[in-house]
Amino acid sequence: MSGLMSGMEGSPLPPSWRERTLLAYPFDLPERRRVRVDYPLGWFTVRRIPIVAPQVQVDTYLACGLVAEALSHMSDAFVRPYLIERLQRMLDHRIMTGYYPYLALASNQRFASKGGYLVHFADASGARVVAVSDWLVP
């Protein structure tokens, strides 16, 4: 089942389905991404920005930070190919990658995160997910 379309850990599945359903999970597992997500969430809290969609807000924070950093290194050469090249180089060494374990860009790629896990719910009543597979890249 699609994790994104179902609401990820908050999927409204009945308990009998939760035990048998596999989710395509395009993010790092919650316990593994905690450190990478805590900084942006803390930044929102300090600035009193309500957290209403954590994944979208963390992704936006990450994207804005990446673009701002790339622009600060471009001097006066503000052209799109150079910006993309700077972003490609930066992503290879990025520690703060938000919800994603790996980010990488190359020519003609539109997604920095490729792949995901297959997960299932740890129990019928909870929202904790457990990986069934390693990180899979199609």
Side-chain angles (χ1 to χ4, degrees):
M1 175 170 121
S2 169
L4 284 175
M5 292 177 71
S6 69
M8 304 308 283
E9 296 93 3
S11 180
L13 289 173
S16 61
W17 286 33
R18 291 174 93 74
E19 294 176 335
R20 289 175 258 170
T21 303
L22 289 179
L23 292 175
Y25 199 83
F27 307 118
D28 205 357
L29 298 172
E31 63 273 5
R32 293 183 187 166
R33 70 176 180 242
R34 187 172 326 266
V35 172
R36 294 189 313 269
V37 172
D38 278 349
Y39 184 83
L41 293 177
W43 188 89
F44 295 136
T45 302
V46 166
R47 286 159 181 77
R48 295 186 175 92
I49 298 171
I51 299 170
V52 294
Q55 185 259 320
V56 173
Q57 288 175 263
V58 169
D59 282 357
T60 303
Y61 177 89
L62 176 64
C64 289
L66 285 167
V67 171
E69 188 177 337
L71 288 172
S72 72
H73 294 286
M74 290 178 65
S75 301
D76 291 337
F78 296 111
V79 292
R80 185 170 63 179
Y82 186 50
L83 173 63
I84 300 300
E85 184 180 312
R86 294 291 313 172
L87 288 169
Q88 288 171 348
R89 280 195 217 149
M90 287 172 43
L91 282 177
D92 291 340
H93 308 290
R94 191 77 178 182
I95 295 170
M96 299 303 284
T97 56
Y99 274 68
Y100 310 98
Y102 312 105
L103 293 176
L105 281 174
S107 297
N108 298 318
Q109 291 184 352
R110 302 205 180 263
F111 298 96
S113 178
K114 300 148 197 78
Y117 291 99
L118 286 179
V119 301
H120 67 86
F121 289 100
D123 56 60
S125 60
R128 191 171 75 83
V129 293
V130 177
V132 175
S133 70
D134 289 332
W135 184 260
L136 303 171
V137 179

